[in-house]
Each structure stands twice: as C-alpha cells, then as structure tokens.
C-alpha cells in the first residue's frame, strides 16, 4: 500500500470507528495539516458569489443544492440566478432546461439556507468560506450545473447600486468545473409498444435526479418508438436499466452502446458529430460536396491497467487486438505492473473490461480518461433482418475487421433470435453489398400426415398441392410477420 498510494508509513494514523481509537489524533492533525482559507479569497465586502458543489432532487422541496459561499453573503428571500447557463443562452447554444421561460429570465428565490452538521441545520445566511445547503424552488437539476456560479439577480442584470459598483462592480464567474458530457449512447425501447408513454415518463423522472442523462426520441422499423439516451459509461447504463426495473417496474430493451463520431471536411474543416448510425450515410453531403475529402474522427481514451506481472503477455495480446497503442509499461513493485495504452473508445465499451478481468483471474483493474479524437479508417456495417435494416444492431468498425465481425455477429444473432412461423434471414452488409448471411428456418407442420395416416396415399399431385399451400402461407406470414428482438440479441453485439 505504501508504494501503490505513495504513503509514508510513519504518517499513517491507526483509527477504529468502533472503539474510537485515533479520533482525537485525526482532528488534531487535520487542523495542522490543512491551511486556513486565504483572507483575500473569501471577502464579505464584495458582490455575492457562490459555487454549486452538488445538487439532488427532493420530491417535496424540489432541487436541493450544496453550495460554497465565496464572496459577500447569501440570505433567505434573496433573488438569485446563475451565470453559466445565461452566458450559454447569449452564445446561442440550445440547452434543454425543462422550463418554458427563456434562460435569461430564470431567477429563483432562496427559501432555505443552512449547514450540514452532519444533519441539516437551518442558519438563514451563509458567509464567505461556509459550505451549506440551499432550497430555491428549483424544479430541474439541469438548471444548476455542477460548478456554476450563483449571483444576485440584480447583479446579473447590471442593476448594481453606486456603492456596489465602487467595491467591485459586476462579479466575474468562478472557475467552472467541466460539465458532464455523455460518453456513449444507447437506444431504449419498451418490450410492448403500448408502454412507450410509461417508459418516457419513467425516464423523465429519472432525469430529474441525474443531470448527465441526455434523452431524445427515436424510431425503429423493427423495435418501434423509443428513446435515445446518453450515458457517462457502461456502469451508468447498467444502473439506469436496473433503476427502471426496481423503481418503476418497467422492463426496457436497451440496445448495444455506441459512441459519437465526428465527420470532418479536410478542406473547410467543417465538423458534424454523429450519434445515431441512421444518419451515417447522409453526412458526407452535409459536411461537404461529394468530391470533398471527408475524414472520420474516432473518440479515443487513455486506459490505465494495473495487473499482476504474470498476466502481461495475455493482456498485451488483448490490447493489440483492440487496436491499442502502448504509451508506457512499468513495474510498480516486484509483483505488479502499470500499463498505459491509447485505445478507441468503442473497443472499451464492448467487452474489454470483462476480457481483462477474465485473463487476469479478476486481479486486473482498469481506469480510463478521454483524450483527443483521432482519424481512423472506419466503415458502417449494416445488419438486416428479412431485408429491413436494423440500426440498433448495426455497428461501426475498422475497415480491416468488418468482414470477420459481421460474420461472427450474424452467427450469434442466429442463435439468440427466436424461431418464427416464417423464415428469418440475417444479413451483414457493407453499403449495398451483402457479405454474410444466416438463415433461421421456420417451424413446419407435417401436412402430409393426418391422424397418423399419410394424406393422398400414393397420389403425388395431392401431396404437392398440400405442400404448395403451406409454402404460400409461410410466404404470406413473412410479409406481415414482425420479429421481436430479445435483449440477448443486443448482448451478442456488446460481446463481439
């Protein structure tokens, strides 16, 4: 632990919450090790500024914010607003705040103020340097972004008094934390088409307490109406699906996740971000003319893996298969080593974590962070079921691997899609060219046998008539039949 966390063993304080050992030592050492706030940073004689540290939704009081008062003082009944969202409104960016008013008109009245000690203690006023909770009648967590700056409404609208202008004037926003942006997207469809409104209502309620969710409507020829949701990562997506089932009793069909790509015109540098794969084919015309040179930028991550030394060879082979580029490999101690690789984000969201755990018997741990996108030779592999393109199971891959991955996925889909009363054809296509095909035969009744006896005796024309009638029925069922894809069909895409 000393080498892993860079700790000095002599400075570690033994603590037991059960017996109370070491509690006094921690309090005494904390007051000596942490410096007091500088007096020039937290001042009372300045226009009020407070930073939003956290927010959560309460069904009775609305959004509750955890704030840090930096300058001035904030009291109950003050009329407040925020700076970041309004500046984004002025820049012309479209931000969904869940409010019918324009962003520049959004103000709130402070209803409650207090500190956490650790139970909420109402104080009615917060002074510079204090951290406490605020209730302001806010209805949506998207109206108070993490790191945003709270100011008085009169200050934001340049209605300062003469005295306020003399002691500082318009307060500049505090340094902003980077807002949460989705790293992957997945489509969410109800198991039954009539439950779409119930699913939309449930997701809307979940979004009240999760500002990182991005939701927009989507429609599929096979799955019907649904919603496209942006997540921070795979764990966020799994928790979201579990909350839908536990809190609302809705079993949703969530497609395999995909990441956003960027189409860039090399000559004009125009860029368009692609989230939905159904827009992939028409984007070249939007970015530039047909003769323009278009390159596709792939989102990349820097992955850090800590693993036992004996698993080095197998993990290096895995990362090479995932198109990884080695940045650094070094030993932490005699038994463990640190591997830093640059990887495509799409390869990480599929099965990299599971395979790394499997190869290391569960001992490897992985973390990653987003880095600058890079150009890549990518193609869209369309999956078709009975001639209908299904965007939710189509995928993007490197041009050198599309044929192998398309064939493997078609074989796995054949194993997980239920057998129907009609023939089901699964195709993997690159553009208009089909390079892989699998067939699921229909259920077939023995029409030549009735009550244990052969119909028609030895007359071949009678048997042929019965078989042709059955064939016409299967053909008609194929034109009107609808295939319901199970959740296992999308897990097959995730584990490709």
């Amino acid at each position: 632990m000393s080498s892993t966390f860079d700790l000095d063993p002599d400075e570690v304080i033994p603590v037991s919450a059960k017996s109370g050992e070491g509690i006094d030592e921690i309090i005494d050492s904390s007051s000596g090790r942490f410096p007091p706030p500088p007096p020039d940073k937290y001042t009372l004689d300045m226009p009020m500024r407070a930073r939003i540290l956290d927010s959560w939704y309460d069904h009775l009081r609305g959004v509750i914010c955890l704030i840090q008062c930096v300058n001035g003082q904030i009291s109950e009944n003050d009329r407040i607003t925020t700076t970041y969202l309004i500046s984004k409104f002025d820049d012309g960016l479209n931000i969904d705040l869940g409010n019918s008013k324009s962003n520049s008109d959004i103000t709130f009245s402070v209803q409650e103020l207090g500190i956490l000690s650790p139970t909420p203690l109402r104080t009615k006023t917060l002074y510079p340097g204090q951290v406490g909770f605020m209730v302001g009648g806010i209805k949506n967590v998207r109206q108070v972004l993490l790191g945003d700056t709270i100011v008085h409404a009169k200050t934001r609208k340049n209605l300062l008094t003469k005295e306020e202008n003399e002691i500082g004037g318009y307060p500049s926003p505090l340094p902003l934390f980077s807002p949460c942006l989705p790293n992957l997207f997945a489509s969410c469809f109800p198991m039954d088409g009539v439950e779409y409104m119930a699913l939309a209502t449930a997701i809307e309620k979940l979004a009240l307490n999760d500002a990182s969710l991005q939701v927009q409507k989507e429609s599929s020829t096979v799955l019907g109406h649904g919603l496209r949701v942006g997540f921070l990562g795979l764990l966020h997506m799994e928790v979201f699906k579990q909350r839908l089932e536990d809190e609302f009793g809705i079993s949703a069909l969530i497609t395999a996740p995909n990441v956003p790509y960027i189409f860039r015109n090399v000559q004009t540098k125009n860029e368009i971000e692609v989230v939905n794969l159904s827009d992939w084919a028409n984007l070249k015309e939007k970015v530039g003319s047909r003769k323009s040179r278009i390159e596709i930028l792939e989102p990349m991550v820097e992955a850090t893996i800590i693993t036992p030394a004996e698993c080095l060879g197998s993990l290096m082979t895995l990362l090479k298969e995932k198109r990884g580029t080695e940045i650094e490999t070094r030993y932490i101690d005699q038994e463990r080593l640190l591997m830093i690789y640059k990887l495509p984000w799409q390869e990480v969201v599929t099965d990299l974590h599971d395979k790394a755990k499997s190869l290391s018997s569960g001992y490897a741990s992985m973390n990653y962070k987003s880095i600058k996108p890079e150009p890549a030779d990518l193609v869209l592999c369309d999956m078709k079921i009975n001639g209908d393109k299904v965007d939710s199971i189509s995928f993007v891959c490197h041009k050198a691997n599309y044929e192998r991955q398309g064939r493997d996925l078609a074989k796995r889909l054949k194993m997980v899609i239920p057998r129907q009363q009609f023939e089901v054809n699964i195709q993997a296509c690159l553009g208009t060219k089909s390079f892989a095909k699998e067939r699921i035969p229909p259920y077939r009744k023995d029409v030549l046998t009735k009550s244990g006896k052969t119909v028609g005796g030895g007359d071949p024309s009678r048997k042929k008539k019965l078989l042709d009638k059955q064939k016409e029925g299967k053909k008609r069922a194929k034109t009107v039949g609808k295939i319901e894809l199970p959740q296992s069909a999308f897990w097959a895409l995730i584990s490709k």
Side-chain angles (χ1 to χ4, degrees), residues 53-54 56 61 63-68 74 76 110-126 130-136 150:
L53 303 179
D54 196 5
W56 60 92
R61 299 190 290 175
V63 176
I64 302 176
C65 300
L66 185 67
I67 64 172
Q68 176 194 27
I74 181 172
E76 293 183 1
V110 180
Q111 299 172 356
E112 292 184 34
L113 277 175
I115 60 175
L116 302 175
S117 62
T119 57
L121 178 63
R122 190 170 180 178
T123 60
K124 297 187 178 181
T125 303
L126 290 180
Q130 287 188 318
V131 176
F133 68 90
M134 180 193 73
V135 179
I150 297 175

Side-chain angles (χ1 to χ4, degrees), residues 413-474:
L413 289 175
K414 179 182 178 180
M415 299 176 62
V416 297
I417 294 179
R419 198 174 177 185
Q420 308 291 327
Q421 293 290 343
F422 50 88
E423 182 184 30
V424 177
N425 291 315
I426 305 169
Q427 292 176 288
C429 304
L430 183 64
T432 58
K433 176 187 175 182
S434 174
F435 61 88
K437 182 177 180 180
E438 295 291 336
R439 175 181 176 271
I440 302 178
Y443 288 115
R444 183 175 178 180
K445 181 181 178 181
D446 188 4
V447 295
L448 300 181
T449 302
K450 187 175 182 179
S451 300
K453 298 181 180 179
T454 304
V455 177
D459 186 7
S461 60
R462 173 63 174 164
K463 297 179 181 179
K464 185 177 179 181
K465 183 178 179 181
L466 292 172
L467 292 174
D468 290 343
K469 185 178 179 181
Q470 184 188 45
K471 185 178 180 181
E472 289 296 324
K474 297 291 183 183

Side-chain angles (χ1 to χ4, degrees), residues 4 176 295 359:
T4 303
L176 177 70
E295 65 178 1
L359 292 175

